[in-house]
Amino acid sequence: GEAAPGVRAFRTVGRALLRQPRLLAWVAPVVWASLIFQLSSLEPGTAPLAFDALGGLVTNLAHPAIFGILALLLVPVLGRVRGEDGRRWTSMTPESALWVVALVTLYGFTDELHQSTVEGRDASLLDVLSDFTGALAVVLVVRFLGRADASDRGLRRALLVALLASLAAAGLSTLWDHFIGDSPWPF
């Protein structure tokens, strides 16, 4: 049957991303990762969207969003299949989903390592947790949208869980910074 309007809208965006050739699909995540690197090279307060609203919660909430986008941009690199409706979708298996999350999380870790070398910046494993959360949320939503029985209700539930998980990770980092001090970092 026909997909619900919300599911259809998200699938339209996904299919637009999947129209590009797989080799060309690497350009967007590499450019996005380069932008992340450039932003994390800036000293505090010099980033174009730097703000400390709600004691850093907004800044910490940027991590799941930014790294979730990186995960989304990696999806077109994966294989593609034709769905029951004959339209193209990602062939994201649990294994390839794990690879996307692992790759994004590893990049998040290296980004934090890089930040530890920037004057006025510090590194945090809690930020890496937020990066992981954003990547995992995107992968779970993409996999949900690939299901034949995907519904708007299920999509809303998946998006709500993603938002709550992102808020929890960002909130943990914000509370840690506020009440304990320097975030944990092994190096």
Side-chain angles (χ1 to χ4, degrees):
E2 177 130 353
V7 170
R8 196 168 47 248
F10 273 79
R11 285 179 176 168
T12 298
V13 171
R15 288 186 178 110
L17 288 170
L18 291 169
R19 282 193 193 102
Q20 60 189 319
R22 282 178 67 194
L23 185 57
L24 185 60
W26 278 102
V27 172
V30 168
V31 168
W32 189 255
S34 298
L35 179 62
I36 292 170
F37 181 86
Q38 291 302 315
L39 288 174
S40 66
S41 297
L42 299 174
E43 290 181 23
T46 60
L49 297 175
F51 40 107
D52 290 324
L54 302 174
L57 179 64
V58 174
T59 303
N60 287 329
L61 196 52
H63 276 268
I66 289 169
F67 284 84
I69 291 170
L70 181 58
L72 180 64
L73 294 174
L74 283 169
V75 169
V77 174
L78 305 173
R80 294 118 191 249
V81 295
R82 297 260 177 221
E84 293 176 7
D85 61 0
R87 295 183 179 167
R88 186 179 295 189
W89 194 250
T90 177
S91 63
M92 184 184 290
T93 62
E95 294 81 15
S96 61
L98 180 64
W99 277 107
V100 168
V101 172
L103 183 62
V104 170
T105 303
L106 178 62
Y107 186 73
F109 181 82
T110 62
D111 182 58
E112 291 298 315
L113 192 60
H114 164 248
Q115 276 188 102
S116 72
T117 68
V118 175
E119 184 70 34
R121 300 291 298 261
D122 61 353
S124 169
L125 286 177
L126 295 174
D127 287 349
V128 177
L129 174 66
S130 293
D131 303 340
F132 164 82
T133 302
L136 181 63
V138 164
V139 163
L140 292 175
V141 169
V142 168
R143 287 195 38 86
F144 172 78
L145 290 168
R147 294 176 24 187
D149 65 343
S151 66
D152 276 359
R153 181 176 184 195
L155 177 60
R156 283 191 303 273
R157 188 177 316 125
L159 292 172
L160 179 61
V161 167
L163 176 62
L164 292 175
S166 296
L167 279 169
L172 176 63
S173 186
T174 302
L175 291 172
W176 186 289
D177 290 344
H178 184 72
F179 291 109
I180 298 174
D182 288 341
S183 296
W185 184 248
F187 303 104

